[in-house]
Amino acid sequence: MIAVLVMLTASASCDPAGIDAPYRAMEEGFRNRDPAMVASAYSPTSVLGGVDRPEVHSAEEMTQVFAYVAPEDGLTLAIDFKIVHRDRADDLVADVGLYRIRVEGREPSYGQFTTVTVCGADGVWRFIADLMTRAGEPEWRSAECVPGAPCAD
């Protein structure tokens, strides 16, 4: 399934400096409580979900998937990343890492992820796959980041 998405999506040459753009879009989208900004981190057709039940979503569906970041409660929301492994081949990147979601006044939640990022026809890096599972604070604290990749404190 992911191989088909790569063939349909990849066709341009992207600036390697933009590899982390999807993570920045997610961080900004959470900070601004903007589901469309979060959805912009993903290709027009992407695989998203738990490792046991990933689903293919369109760009329009992605905004609905991330509707929970919309500002209904007025609280500050943030997401942080730690990339612990990265493989890159031309216009395709596979990352393994952890994320932390923080909501004002609550304990953070943690998870592990594997993403596949591809250079789109428009020259922009976007996720085509984002698979997640649970993690805890001990995993977050002990994670050692790949130099130059997103690495929150």
Side-chain angles (χ1 to χ4, degrees):
M1 175 172 24
I2 293 173
V4 172
L5 289 174
V6 169
M7 289 186 298
L8 292 173
T9 310
S11 65
S13 182
C14 286
D15 181 354
I19 288 173
D20 296 326
Y23 296 104
R24 288 191 301 273
M26 289 192 75
E27 290 168 344
E28 186 175 340
F30 271 69
R31 186 175 45 255
N32 294 329
R33 305 296 301 258
D34 183 350
M37 174 70 66
V38 176
S40 75
Y42 294 85
S43 291
T45 304
S46 301
V47 176
L48 177 71
V51 293
D52 59 338
R53 291 189 171 187
E55 296 180 4
V56 176
H57 293 281
S58 68
E60 296 78 27
E61 291 171 324
M62 280 298 186
T63 301
Q64 291 304 313
V65 167
F66 290 105
Y68 69 91
V69 305
E72 294 180 14
D73 54 17
L75 299 176
T76 302
L77 180 65
I79 188 168
D80 305 304
F81 300 98
K82 287 187 174 186
I83 308 299
V84 299
H85 182 81
R86 173 171 276 173
D87 283 324
R88 178 165 184 252
D90 299 320
D91 292 338
L92 182 69
V93 178
D95 286 334
V96 175
L98 293 110
Y99 65 88
R100 173 181 63 188
I101 297 177
R102 294 174 290 143
V103 179
E104 180 182 359
R106 299 181 191 157
E107 291 295 315
S109 62
Y110 302 90
Q112 299 175 42
F113 65 86
T114 299
T115 58
V116 178
T117 308
V118 67
C119 174
D122 59 359
V124 176
W125 292 95
R126 290 188 184 88
F127 298 133
I128 60 165
D130 184 358
L131 304 175
M132 299 156 278
T133 189
R134 293 181 186 255
E137 186 176 3
E139 291 90 350
W140 176 264
R141 287 187 184 275
S142 66
E144 293 186 29
C145 297
V146 171
C151 188
D153 293 330

Short mmCIF file of all heavy atoms in Angstrom, two decimals, residues 14-24 86 88 90 92-93 95 117 125-127:
data_model
loop_
_atom_site.label_atom_id
_atom_site.label_comp_id
_atom_site.label_asym_id
_atom_site.label_seq_id
_atom_site.Cartn_x
_atom_site.Cartn_y
_atom_site.Cartn_z
N CYS A 14 13.14 17.65 -4.10
CA CYS A 14 12.95 18.59 -3.00
C CYS A 14 14.29 19.00 -2.40
O CYS A 14 15.25 18.22 -2.41
CB CYS A 14 12.12 17.95 -1.90
SG CYS A 14 10.37 17.79 -2.27
N ASP A 15 14.32 20.16 -1.83
CA ASP A 15 15.46 20.64 -1.08
C ASP A 15 15.59 19.78 0.18
O ASP A 15 14.64 19.71 0.98
CB ASP A 15 15.25 22.11 -0.72
CG ASP A 15 16.41 22.71 0.06
OD1 ASP A 15 17.36 21.98 0.43
OD2 ASP A 15 16.35 23.92 0.28
N PRO A 16 16.73 19.13 0.40
CA PRO A 16 16.90 18.30 1.60
C PRO A 16 16.69 19.08 2.90
O PRO A 16 16.30 18.50 3.91
CB PRO A 16 18.34 17.81 1.50
CG PRO A 16 18.69 17.91 0.07
CD PRO A 16 17.90 19.08 -0.47
N ALA A 17 16.88 20.38 2.87
CA ALA A 17 16.68 21.20 4.07
C ALA A 17 15.21 21.21 4.50
O ALA A 17 14.91 21.54 5.64
CB ALA A 17 17.16 22.62 3.83
N GLY A 18 14.31 20.83 3.61
CA GLY A 18 12.88 20.84 3.93
C GLY A 18 12.33 19.53 4.47
O GLY A 18 11.13 19.40 4.70
N ILE A 19 13.21 18.55 4.69
CA ILE A 19 12.76 17.23 5.15
C ILE A 19 11.91 17.32 6.41
O ILE A 19 10.95 16.57 6.57
CB ILE A 19 13.97 16.29 5.37
CG1 ILE A 19 14.56 15.88 4.03
CG2 ILE A 19 13.58 15.06 6.18
CD1 ILE A 19 15.85 15.10 4.13
N ASP A 20 12.23 18.23 7.30
CA ASP A 20 11.50 18.33 8.57
C ASP A 20 10.26 19.22 8.49
O ASP A 20 9.59 19.44 9.50
CB ASP A 20 12.44 18.82 9.67
CG ASP A 20 13.55 17.83 9.94
OD1 ASP A 20 13.30 16.61 9.83
OD2 ASP A 20 14.68 18.26 10.25
N ALA A 21 9.93 19.72 7.30
CA ALA A 21 8.76 20.60 7.15
C ALA A 21 7.46 19.99 7.67
O ALA A 21 6.67 20.70 8.30
CB ALA A 21 8.61 21.03 5.69
N PRO A 22 7.19 18.69 7.45
CA PRO A 22 5.94 18.15 7.99
C PRO A 22 5.86 18.22 9.51
O PRO A 22 4.80 18.48 10.08
CB PRO A 22 5.93 16.70 7.50
CG PRO A 22 6.86 16.67 6.34
CD PRO A 22 7.90 17.71 6.62
N TYR A 23 6.99 18.01 10.17
CA TYR A 23 7.00 18.09 11.64
C TYR A 23 6.74 19.53 12.09
O TYR A 23 5.99 19.77 13.04
CB TYR A 23 8.34 17.59 12.20
CG TYR A 23 8.58 16.13 11.92
CD1 TYR A 23 9.46 15.73 10.92
CD2 TYR A 23 7.90 15.14 12.64
CE1 TYR A 23 9.68 14.39 10.65
CE2 TYR A 23 8.11 13.80 12.37
CZ TYR A 23 9.00 13.43 11.37
OH TYR A 23 9.20 12.10 11.10
N ARG A 24 7.35 20.49 11.39
CA ARG A 24 7.12 21.90 11.73
C ARG A 24 5.67 22.29 11.50
O ARG A 24 5.09 23.05 12.28
CB ARG A 24 8.08 22.79 10.94
CG ARG A 24 9.53 22.69 11.43
CD ARG A 24 10.43 23.76 10.84
NE ARG A 24 10.48 23.72 9.38
CZ ARG A 24 11.31 22.98 8.66
NH1 ARG A 24 12.16 22.19 9.27
NH2 ARG A 24 11.29 23.02 7.34
N ARG A 86 16.71 7.64 11.22
CA ARG A 86 16.29 8.23 9.94
C ARG A 86 17.05 7.55 8.80
O ARG A 86 18.26 7.42 8.85
CB ARG A 86 16.55 9.73 9.92
CG ARG A 86 16.28 10.38 8.57
CD ARG A 86 16.34 11.89 8.64
NE ARG A 86 15.03 12.38 9.10
CZ ARG A 86 14.77 13.64 9.40
NH1 ARG A 86 15.71 14.55 9.31
NH2 ARG A 86 13.56 13.98 9.79
N ARG A 88 17.29 7.84 4.51
CA ARG A 88 16.91 8.69 3.38
C ARG A 88 17.48 8.11 2.10
O ARG A 88 18.64 7.72 2.04
CB ARG A 88 17.43 10.11 3.55
CG ARG A 88 17.08 10.97 2.35
CD ARG A 88 17.24 12.45 2.62
NE ARG A 88 16.80 13.15 1.43
CZ ARG A 88 17.62 13.76 0.59
NH1 ARG A 88 18.91 13.80 0.82
NH2 ARG A 88 17.14 14.36 -0.49
N ASP A 90 17.19 9.46 -1.83
CA ASP A 90 16.68 10.43 -2.79
C ASP A 90 15.54 11.25 -2.20
O ASP A 90 15.76 11.97 -1.24
CB ASP A 90 16.26 9.74 -4.10
CG ASP A 90 17.42 9.02 -4.76
OD1 ASP A 90 18.54 9.59 -4.75
OD2 ASP A 90 17.22 7.92 -5.27
N LEU A 92 12.80 10.24 -0.60
CA LEU A 92 12.02 9.42 0.32
C LEU A 92 12.75 9.33 1.65
O LEU A 92 13.97 9.10 1.68
CB LEU A 92 11.83 8.02 -0.28
CG LEU A 92 10.99 7.03 0.49
CD1 LEU A 92 9.53 7.46 0.48
CD2 LEU A 92 11.14 5.64 -0.13
N VAL A 93 12.04 9.54 2.74
CA VAL A 93 12.63 9.50 4.08
C VAL A 93 11.75 8.64 4.97
O VAL A 93 10.52 8.76 4.95
CB VAL A 93 12.73 10.92 4.70
CG1 VAL A 93 13.30 10.85 6.11
CG2 VAL A 93 13.57 11.82 3.82
N ASP A 95 11.36 7.78 9.04
CA ASP A 95 11.77 8.16 10.40
C ASP A 95 11.10 7.26 11.42
O ASP A 95 9.94 6.85 11.24
CB ASP A 95 11.33 9.60 10.72
CG ASP A 95 12.15 10.65 10.01
OD1 ASP A 95 13.31 10.39 9.68
OD2 ASP A 95 11.61 11.76 9.81
N THR A 117 8.11 9.96 4.57
CA THR A 117 7.96 11.29 4.01
C THR A 117 8.46 11.27 2.57
O THR A 117 9.50 10.66 2.29
CB THR A 117 8.76 12.32 4.83
OG1 THR A 117 8.41 12.19 6.21
CG2 THR A 117 8.50 13.73 4.37
N TRP A 125 7.98 18.45 0.91
CA TRP A 125 8.02 17.20 1.67
C TRP A 125 6.73 17.05 2.47
O TRP A 125 6.30 17.99 3.15
CB TRP A 125 9.19 17.21 2.63
CG TRP A 125 10.54 17.17 1.99
CD1 TRP A 125 11.33 18.24 1.71
CD2 TRP A 125 11.25 16.02 1.56
NE1 TRP A 125 12.50 17.81 1.12
CE2 TRP A 125 12.48 16.45 1.02
CE3 TRP A 125 10.96 14.65 1.56
CZ2 TRP A 125 13.42 15.57 0.51
CZ3 TRP A 125 11.91 13.77 1.05
CH2 TRP A 125 13.12 14.24 0.53
N ARG A 126 6.11 15.86 2.40
CA ARG A 126 4.90 15.56 3.18
C ARG A 126 4.91 14.09 3.60
O ARG A 126 5.47 13.25 2.91
CB ARG A 126 3.65 15.83 2.36
CG ARG A 126 3.39 17.30 2.08
CD ARG A 126 2.02 17.50 1.42
NE ARG A 126 1.81 18.87 1.08
CZ ARG A 126 2.19 19.44 -0.08
NH1 ARG A 126 2.80 18.73 -1.01
NH2 ARG A 126 1.95 20.71 -0.32
N PHE A 127 4.22 13.81 4.70
CA PHE A 127 4.06 12.42 5.12
C PHE A 127 3.12 11.69 4.16
O PHE A 127 2.08 12.23 3.77
CB PHE A 127 3.42 12.34 6.51
CG PHE A 127 4.22 12.98 7.62
CD1 PHE A 127 3.59 13.82 8.52
CD2 PHE A 127 5.57 12.72 7.78
CE1 PHE A 127 4.29 14.39 9.57
CE2 PHE A 127 6.29 13.30 8.81
CZ PHE A 127 5.64 14.14 9.71
#
